[in-house]
Amino acid sequence: MSTLTEAPPETAAPRKIRKRGRLVPYWLLLPGILWLVVFFALPMIYQASTSVQQGSLEDGFKVTWHFATYWDALSEYWPQFLRSVLYAGAATILCLLLGYPLAYLIAFRAGRWRNVVLILVIAPFFTSFLIRTLAWKTILADGGPVVGALNSLHLLDVTNWLGMTEGDRVLATPLAVVCGLTYNFLPFMILPLYTSLERIDGRLHEAAGDLYASPATTFRKVTFPLSMPGVVSGTLLTFIPAAGDYVNADLLGSTDTRMVGNVIQTQFLRVLDYPTAAALSFILMAAILLMVTFYIRRAGTEDLV
């Protein structure tokens, strides 16, 4: 009877092979999991513990579960939070308005020049972020051609009325910060848009034309809905880093244009108030997460490029 219950040798080996095969995906995921644990989970845990500490640099900081730091930080620095959302939102809208036509041109009209234009889009990344931002101080300098053109077109009157500029200057104003954010994060908008537009089958445009749809109707009914994954991806890739940026506000703005990233930098590196800086970081992260979740659901797509 024992010979009937024991598995034959020829069937035991395939079972071991199948068992090892089921473990292969987990072994392949192990390096990525370790990377996330070491460089994401552990720093987040350390940051969370720092946010509920009390003390000073001389006496040391101890975990006292002082959650009031979050409310104190938010009540004191809410203008910087609001300013960060407004500046990042304005830069994201400008990037979408500027990037969509260019991405459309690359996807459908560039032809053999497509790769050249794509290289030109990513070429600024070969230059330091700091140098690119400093260049805008020269571009927007008082008495420069840009400010002169804005003055001659009376556009500064409009921006003054909107509160984006002051007088006849652009530097050290909200407009300068938004311009810097728009320029630095524009490629993050163009590339997802191009990827999404490039996937659209050109025969759909031909079919729309055969059904007597105008170019505007074709764009509204066919092109733009099919490019929504790229729009969602591009806006997220632009808004999220722009909301936490501090370089543009520091170099192109003034004390009246400080964003929450500037406050976090100051608290960490100058004031050395680590709990407040950590609390501000978590509040910013939570706020962005809530806005992103709401935006994705309202956009009606989770198929991110």
Side-chain angles (χ1 to χ4, degrees):
M1 297 295 293
S2 60
T3 57
L4 296 176
T5 58
E6 291 180 358
E10 60 272 15
T11 60
R15 287 179 181 177
K16 292 181 179 180
I17 295 175
R18 288 195 298 268
K19 185 176 180 180
R20 292 177 182 176
R22 288 194 296 266
L23 294 177
V24 168
Y26 298 99
W27 286 110
L28 293 176
L29 288 174
L30 185 59
I33 294 174
L34 290 176
W35 179 275
L36 289 175
V37 169
V38 174
F39 294 102
F40 181 78
L42 292 180
M44 290 287 291
I45 295 173
Y46 177 77
Q47 197 84 323
S49 66
T50 302
S51 65
V52 293
Q53 292 179 358
Q54 283 183 302
S56 62
L57 192 63
E58 294 78 11
D59 301 330
F61 293 93
K62 296 181 180 179
V63 177
T64 58
W65 307 106
H66 188 257
F67 291 100
T69 304
Y70 285 87
W71 174 252
D72 295 338
L74 185 59
S75 60
E76 184 175 357
Y77 298 109
W78 69 265
Q80 286 81 1
F81 272 101
L82 180 61
R83 197 175 294 136
S84 297
V85 174
L86 292 177
Y87 290 177
T92 302
I93 294 173
L94 287 175
C95 284
L96 181 60
L97 294 177
L98 295 173
Y100 201 104
L102 181 57
Y104 186 93
L105 175 67
I106 299 173
F108 298 116
R109 296 290 185 268
R112 62 176 182 175
W113 299 101
R114 177 179 299 178
N115 293 334
V116 176
V117 180
L118 285 174
I119 292 174
L120 293 177
V121 169
I122 64 174
F125 285 102
F126 292 97
T127 307
S128 170
F129 186 91
L130 184 63
I131 295 176
R132 284 185 277 131
T133 307
L134 286 172
W136 275 87
K137 297 191 70 172
T138 304
I139 296 172
L140 301 177
D142 299 340
V146 174
V147 177
L150 293 176
N151 267 322
S152 62
L153 296 174
H154 301 286
L155 292 178
L156 286 183
D157 296 334
V158 179
T159 56
N160 287 337
W161 179 73
L162 293 174
M164 296 296 291
T165 56
E166 297 178 2
D168 295 333
R169 70 190 318 259
V170 177
L171 273 181
T173 64
L175 180 60
V177 178
V178 172
C179 287
L181 291 172
T182 303
Y183 168 74
N184 282 305
F185 296 109
L186 183 59
F188 292 99
M189 178 68 74
I190 295 174
L191 295 178
L193 286 173
Y194 162 74
T195 303
S196 184
L197 289 168
E198 196 267 339
R199 293 179 180 177
I200 299 177
D201 192 341
R203 291 175 295 182
L204 295 175
H205 295 159
E206 297 176 0
D210 293 339
L211 295 173
Y212 303 103
S214 65
T217 303
T218 301
F219 175 80
R220 183 167 54 88
K221 295 289 188 178
V222 179
T223 306
F224 189 76
L226 292 177
S227 65
M228 274 304 296
V231 173
V232 174
S233 299
T235 50
L236 293 181
L237 291 175
T238 303
F239 178 82
I240 293 174
D245 183 77
Y246 66 92
V247 176
N248 289 276
D250 191 28
L251 298 179
L252 302 177
S254 64
T255 55
D256 295 329
T257 60
R258 284 168 55 85
M259 300 169 64
V260 67
N262 301 101
V263 178
I264 294 173
Q265 181 207 26
T266 301
Q267 294 293 326
F268 260 123
L269 302 180
R270 299 180 186 176
V271 182
L272 304 180
D273 187 356
Y274 303 136
T276 299
L280 287 171
S281 301
F282 267 94
I283 294 173
L284 177 62
M285 182 177 61
I288 291 177
L289 183 62
L290 289 175
M291 287 186 288
V292 166
T293 302
F294 175 78
Y295 171 69
I296 291 177
R297 290 185 176 181
R298 292 292 296 176
T301 178
E302 296 183 1
D303 182 22
L304 300 183
V305 177

